């Protein structure tokens, strides 16, 4: 399971999406939480920042507010938590 979490984290999956995938495999929730807590927060935040910046540069049209909304939806679909996404957005001032 640790290998699954590591591999999918490198695929740019957020904790929510990983948790959902493991729950679908009928793995105990406490065990999932234990291994997800081992993901370093600094690396996790950096992963969100990289995805945000890359996606922001690829967006051509729309007002800044529309772009921000699309960024949030994009990251939520990748399985990142709303609180984390908003925190990193504020840090980057996008």
């Amino acid at each position: 399971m640790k290998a699954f979490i590591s591999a999918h984290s490198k695929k740019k999956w957020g904790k929510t999406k990983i948790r959902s995938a493991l729950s679908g495999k009928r793995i105990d929730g406490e065990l999932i939480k234990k291994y997800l807590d081992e993901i370093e927060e600094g690396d996790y935040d950096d992963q969100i920042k990289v995805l945000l910046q890359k996606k922001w540069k690829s967006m051509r049209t729309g007002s800044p507010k529309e772009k921000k909304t699309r960024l949030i939806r994009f990251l939520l679909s990748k399985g990142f938590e709303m609180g984390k996404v908003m925190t990193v957005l504020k840090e980057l001032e996008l």
Side-chain angles (χ1 to χ4, degrees), residues 14-64:
K15 290 181 181 180
T16 305
K17 193 168 183 175
I18 294 171
R19 182 179 295 112
S20 178
L22 289 172
S23 293
K25 294 179 181 288
R26 300 176 196 256
I27 295 175
D28 181 49
E30 290 297 317
L31 195 57
I32 294 170
K33 183 180 179 338
K34 176 186 169 195
Y35 285 110
L36 285 177
D37 287 343
E38 291 180 5
I39 296 175
E40 290 187 36
E41 290 301 313
D43 293 340
Y44 193 66
D45 290 348
D46 290 342
Q47 191 176 34
I48 294 171
K49 286 177 188 175
V50 168
L51 285 171
L52 274 172
Q53 291 169 334
K54 187 175 179 182
K55 186 69 173 175
W56 182 265
K57 289 177 184 175
S58 72
M59 299 168 110
R60 302 255 185 252
T61 60
S63 69

